[in-house]
Amino acid sequence: MTALLNDQGLDALVYPTANPYGTIGTNMRLSPNTGLPAVTVPMGQGTIDEGSTGGVNLEFLGRDFAEGSLLGLAYGFEQASQARTTPAAYGPLG
């Protein structure tokens, strides 16, 4: 993965990690299998028309010892997308 990031001139690899039709994501294997740091952020919700209201997420996979940059990318995405929502089954924390 580090060679791929280097060859492509990338700071991070970003990919979807959750399935709105189930509770277990199927793509969250790169970080544990490579030992590289990763952070997952919400990117949207499924809809009732699609048969599910579950969340869909993005995972940012970064370079060794570059967690600060990785968290900055994830924070920037969260601020730009405003995709985080309160789950319908739970009230606001307070």
Side-chain angles (χ1 to χ4, degrees):
M1 288 308 304
T2 300
L4 172 70
L5 293 171
N6 290 341
D7 292 345
Q8 299 298 316
L10 302 173
D11 294 324
L13 186 63
V14 181
Y15 47 92
T17 60
N19 176 349
Y21 307 106
T23 58
I24 298 174
T26 58
N27 298 330
M28 296 182 282
R29 295 187 180 114
L30 285 178
S31 180
N33 290 328
T34 62
L36 295 172
V39 60
T40 302
V41 297
M43 72 173 195
Q45 295 285 124
T47 65
I48 290 180
D49 293 343
E50 295 172 330
S52 173
T53 58
V56 181
N57 305 308
L58 280 182
E59 184 160 284
F60 291 73
L61 180 80
R63 298 171 178 277
D64 279 331
F65 309 108
E67 288 85 353
S69 298
L70 189 64
L71 292 172
L73 290 169
Y75 177 78
F77 175 82
E78 282 190 303
Q79 296 304 298
S81 69
Q82 297 292 306
R84 183 176 299 277
T85 60
T86 300
Y90 304 97
L93 297 175

